[in-house]
Amino acid sequence: MRMQDFAVSYHAATEIVGLFREVLEGCKLTSDETLLLFTDTRFNPTYPAAFMAAGQEIGAEVIQMTVPSTLPEISSAYIRDAWKAADLVIGMSQVQWLYSRAHDEARQSGTRALMVVEPIDVLRRLSPNEDVRKRGRAGVPLLTAGKEMRITSKNGTDFTVNKEGREAYTLYSLADEPGKWDHWPQGLVTFFAAPGQGNGTIVVDPGTVFLKFRRHSTEPVKLTVREGRIVKFEGGTEARLVEEWFAQWNDPRSYELAHVGWGTEHRADWNVIGMDSEAYYANFLLAFGRNIFWPVGGDNDVESHWDFCCLDHDIYVDDQVIVENGTIVPENLK
């Protein structure tokens, strides 16, 4: 999240109440429900203000919780109870809550949760879209039924993950079902790999998005993965920088495969670093590190999480081609 991309005047909240109300209605918020707005002391206040107005217009009970930005994650009993008591939580915070046990507990109780941290121009451009939702919902049963995902590229990627017994998950910018987490904006079909799964070579081409560095790569980086863990980084300066980023956590679990999938958002802009990168239509998204996520995730609670967003890769589920030459192939997933 880049704080300079956010408005600094409370008056800006008046311009987005209508948009935020549409999203709350898309999340099926009703007048007999409780909306919890979760934010921190460093987050721009216009979003919580607009969501509070939108929630009140719907007639819901609206509560805002603001925590110190220095809080490591949402772990206190008070916060956990508040999340579990809410029907819908809007998460607007730099404090870690996504891959947390408190978040899982809340969703297990039926709470819906939506992350909203991107700049307003991105939210407007990538507002919830029915085509993105349909692609994601169609991809889940296909990926869930598959036993193996394989990713290849003309530049040397050849990576295979056994996914038997692992359910898929989709994101489409709306938390519209009990226990659903989503991220606005987002468009993704993915699964969380079982520990020890994932072998082969991944060649990160120039132009790949390094989300943690908030920029596109400029030279190839070759990753060797064995039994679900990165064991070698090869390349030039950028390979060294990526390797040092992983090494700084001083925890072997940082190198473990977290999730693998493909983007479904046809309106995403590859030149905009952020959720545009993760959701970009037919891109290959690969992540390592933290992956606590009920009911389809793992149990890796390492602090780090790194995403590679890659173009020009082919994706197969078993013997079926899902992505080829930058496009989604199956008609029902396009």
Side-chain angles (χ1 to χ4, degrees):
M1 181 177 60
R2 295 166 294 174
M3 299 306 292
Q4 66 268 27
D5 290 333
F6 288 77
V8 294
S9 167
Y10 266 114
H11 300 127
T14 64
E15 301 174 356
I16 55 178
V17 173
L19 175 63
F20 282 15
R21 176 170 179 165
E22 290 177 5
V23 170
L24 291 179
E25 290 173 339
C27 292
K28 300 181 179 178
L29 182 70
T30 61
S31 59
D32 60 348
E33 290 189 313
T34 298
L35 171 64
L36 175 63
L37 308 176
F38 181 82
T39 188
D40 66 41
T41 52
R42 292 189 61 198
F43 193 85
N44 190 288
T46 58
Y47 283 18
F51 270 118
M52 181 170 288
Q56 289 180 314
E57 285 186 356
I58 291 172
E61 179 182 25
V62 186
I63 300 170
Q64 180 171 325
M65 176 181 287
T66 303
V67 300
S69 64
T70 53
L71 193 71
E73 64 176 83
I74 57 169
S75 56
S76 76
Y78 182 85
I79 296 176
R80 287 174 182 245
D81 289 345
W83 277 61
K84 286 189 285 189
D87 295 290
L88 175 64
V89 174
I90 304 296
M92 300 164 283
S93 171
Q94 297 184 102
V95 173
Q96 164 64 16
W97 61 267
L98 168 54
Y99 296 119
S100 71
R101 303 192 191 285
H103 180 216
D104 278 3
E105 290 174 5
R107 291 188 299 110
Q108 287 174 37
S109 72
T111 299
R112 313 187 298 281
L114 183 70
M115 178 180 284
V116 186
V117 295
E118 292 294 304
I120 188 59
D121 60 311
V122 177
L123 297 182
R124 284 197 177 104
R125 179 167 48 82
L126 300 181
S127 58
N129 177 270
E130 184 59 23
D131 288 337
V132 176
R133 181 177 180 272
K134 287 180 178 178
R135 289 186 194 112
R137 292 178 69 88
V140 166
L142 186 151
L143 183 55
T144 295
K147 297 180 179 179
E148 180 181 273
M149 179 183 277
R150 184 184 180 199
I151 300 94
T152 63
S153 77
K154 65 180 182 299
N155 290 333
T157 292
D158 194 345
F159 179 66
T160 302
V161 186
N162 183 311
K163 65 154 304 292
E164 290 185 272
R166 309 296 285 190
E167 294 185 15
Y169 195 84
T170 184
L171 300 172
Y172 45 79
S173 300
L174 292 174
D176 55 356
E177 299 174 352
K180 177 91 163 59
W181 169 77
D182 217 303
H183 188 170
W184 173 31
Q186 184 57 280
L188 182 66
V189 178
T190 191
F191 80 96
F192 292 76
Q197 298 301 320
N199 290 281
T201 301
I202 300 158
V203 178
V204 175
D205 297 321
T208 293
V209 171
F210 295 157
L211 277 184
K212 290 300 179 183
F213 294 165
R214 298 206 67 85
R215 64 178 176 83
H216 296 87
S217 62
T218 60
E219 58 186 24
V221 176
K222 182 179 178 182
L223 309 174
T224 301
V225 179
R226 293 286 181 266
E227 297 183 348
R229 179 175 293 180
I230 301 174
V231 297
K232 184 186 293 186
F233 299 82
E234 296 177 85
T237 301
E238 291 192 339
R240 176 68 179 274
L241 291 173
V242 173
E243 184 174 12
E244 289 182 350
W245 187 93
F246 277 86
Q248 71 178 310
W249 305 99
N250 196 31
D251 191 325
R253 297 175 302 164
S254 293
Y255 302 87
E256 293 180 1
L257 185 62
H259 58 78
V260 188
W262 66 85
T264 60
E265 175 55 86
H266 59 284
R267 303 167 299 171
D269 185 344
W270 195 250
N271 293 312
V272 180
I273 305 295
M275 288 305 100
D276 280 83
S277 314
E278 288 196 8
Y280 192 84
Y281 185 83
N283 97 95
F284 162 49
L285 177 64
L286 178 74
F288 295 87
R290 193 178 185 100
N291 70 347
I292 299 171
F293 191 77
W294 173 87
V296 298
D299 197 44
N300 188 351
D301 62 358
V302 67
E303 187 176 353
S304 65
H305 184 90
W306 174 288
D307 298 275
F308 293 98
C309 309
C310 312
L311 297 181
D312 301 323
H313 281 68
D314 297 336
I315 301 175
Y316 303 81
V317 174
D318 296 334
D319 295 325
Q320 182 173 4
V321 181
I322 304 300
V323 173
E324 184 177 40
N325 296 324
T327 189
I328 296 174
V329 176
E331 285 296 326
N332 66 324
L333 303 186
K334 288 185 176 181

